[in-house]
C-alpha cells in the first residue's frame, strides 16, 4: 500500500527524515504557542471548550464549540453562562449563573471575620472582596451544589471563563476522539506519517 512512499523514503535518506520530523514538531509547537498566547490575552486557561453533555439544552447542545473570555476586572451576573472547574475535577462544566453574592473578608481577626470564615471555611477565601456564584444547567431540575464537592458557592478562582460565542456541533470531532482513543492515535499517527513521507519539489 505504501510501497512507493517507502521507496521514496529510502532514496531521500536520513537527512530528509530528520527535516520532516523537525517540521512536524514546529507545527505542533506553533499550535501550542498560539493556544497559550490566546489564553493569556483572554485571561483563561481554556479559550475554547466543547460541550460534552445535554445539561445546557436548548441553549447549547452536545458537540457545540464555545469561545470564552475571563476579564479579571469584570463581574459576573445572573444569567451569564460560565465554564467552571472544581479542584480535583477533571472535566470543566458549562452552566448558567443562577445567583451571585458579594462578601467581604475583613483583614483584622474580628468576631465578624471568624463568623464569615466559619460559614465559608471550605472556600479558603483571602481577606478582601469576593464575588461568589451559584450555577445551574438550563436542562437540570436542581442547582449545582452537589457538583461542588462540599462547597456551597463558587469563587472567581473556579471560573475558567464566560461564554462569548459558539459554533454548533464542530466539537464532535473532539468527542469522537475522547470516546474512541484509537481514532485519536490513528489520526495523529497519520498526520505524523504524512509529514515524514511528503515529497518536496524543488523548482
Amino acid at each position: 500500500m505504501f510501497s512507493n512512499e517507502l521507496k521514496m523514503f529510502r532514496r531521500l535518506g536520513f537527512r530528509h527524515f530528520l527535516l520532516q520530523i523537525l517540521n512536524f514538531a514546529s507545527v505542533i509547537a506553533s499550535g501550542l504557542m498560539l493556544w497559550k498566547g490566546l489564553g493569556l490575552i483572554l485571561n483563561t486557561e481554556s479559550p475554547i471548550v466543547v460541550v460534552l453533555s445535554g445539561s445546557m439544552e436548548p441553549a447549547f447542545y452536545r458537540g457545540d464549540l464555545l469561545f470564552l473570555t475571563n476579564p479579571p476586572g469584570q463581574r459576573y451576573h445572573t444569567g451569564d453562562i460560565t465554564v467552571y472547574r472544581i479542584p480535583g475535577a477533571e472535566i470543566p462544566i458549562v452552566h448558567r449563573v443562577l445567583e451571585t453574592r458579594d462578601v467581604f473578608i475583613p483583614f483584622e481577626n474580628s468576631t465578624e471575620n471568624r463568623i464569615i470564615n466559619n460559614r465559608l471555611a471550605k472556600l479558603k477565601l483571602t481577606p478582601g472582596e469576593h464575588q461568589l456564584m451559584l450555577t445551574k444547567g438550563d436542562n437540570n431540575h436542581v442547582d449545582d451544589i452537589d457538583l461542588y464537592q462540599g462547597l456551597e458557592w463558587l469563587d472567581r478562582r473556579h471560573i475558567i471563563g464566560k461564554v462569548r460565542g459558539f459554533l454548533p456541533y464542530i466539537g464532535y470531532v473532539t468527542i469522537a476522539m475522547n470516546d474512541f482513543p484509537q481514532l485519536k492515535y490513528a489520526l495523529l499517527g497519520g498526520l505524523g506519517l504524512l509529514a515524514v513521507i511528503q515529497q518536496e519539489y524543488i523548482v
Side-chain angles (χ1 to χ4, degrees):
M1 180 178 179
F2 297 103
S3 57
N4 293 333
E5 287 80 0
L6 290 175
K7 290 178 182 178
M8 181 185 68
F9 173 71
R10 293 192 187 98
R11 185 173 68 252
L12 294 174
F14 178 75
R15 291 182 60 186
H16 178 80
F17 173 76
L18 183 60
L19 178 62
Q20 296 303 90
I21 289 293
L22 292 175
N23 287 338
F24 183 66
S26 68
V27 171
I28 298 298
S30 298
L32 290 175
M33 290 175 61
L34 179 62
W35 177 264
K36 291 296 183 181
L38 191 60
L40 287 174
I41 294 172
L42 301 177
N43 192 42
T44 174
E45 64 182 71
S46 298
I48 301 174
V49 297
V50 176
V51 179
L52 299 179
S53 73
S55 64
M56 277 301 295
E57 294 179 2
F60 302 121
Y61 291 87
R62 192 169 187 261
D64 288 353
L65 200 68
L66 309 182
F67 301 96
L68 313 180
T69 64
N70 189 28
Q74 188 175 74
R75 292 177 56 81
Y76 283 77
H77 303 281
T78 300
D80 287 342
I81 301 177
T82 65
V83 178
Y84 68 88
R85 188 201 307 271
I86 298 297
E90 181 179 353
I91 300 176
I93 297 173
V94 183
H95 279 175
R96 193 181 300 275
V97 176
L98 184 65
E99 182 182 347
T100 65
R101 176 184 176 187
D102 294 320
V103 298
F104 179 78
I105 305 298
F107 288 85
E108 68 277 3
N109 189 20
S110 62
T111 302
E112 179 186 4
N113 191 5
R114 288 193 295 271
I115 293 174
I116 294 175
N117 281 335
N118 288 336
R119 293 172 59 188
L120 303 174
K122 292 183 179 181
L123 282 174
K124 299 179 180 179
L125 299 176
T126 57
E129 295 183 358
H130 297 270
Q131 184 184 27
L132 307 182
M133 285 163 274
L134 177 66
T135 57
K136 174 184 175 295
D138 289 358
N139 200 30
N140 293 346
H141 298 295
V142 296
D143 58 42
D144 292 349
I145 288 182
D146 289 342
L147 302 178
Y148 294 167
Q149 298 187 8
L151 303 178
E152 294 184 6
W153 298 85
L154 295 178
D155 184 32
R156 279 296 295 262
R157 68 178 182 271
H158 300 129
I159 304 298
I160 296 176
K162 180 189 297 187
V163 177
R164 297 295 188 178
F166 76 102
L167 290 174
Y169 306 119
I170 300 298
Y172 260 113
V173 175
T174 302
I175 293 177
M177 287 192 294
N178 287 333
D179 291 345
F180 305 98
Q182 60 271 23
L183 177 62
K184 175 170 60 178
Y185 300 138
L187 179 61
L188 292 176
L191 290 175
L193 183 61
L194 287 176
V196 169
I197 66 176
Q198 68 177 352
Q199 184 172 4
E200 294 182 352
Y201 294 93
I202 301 177
V203 179

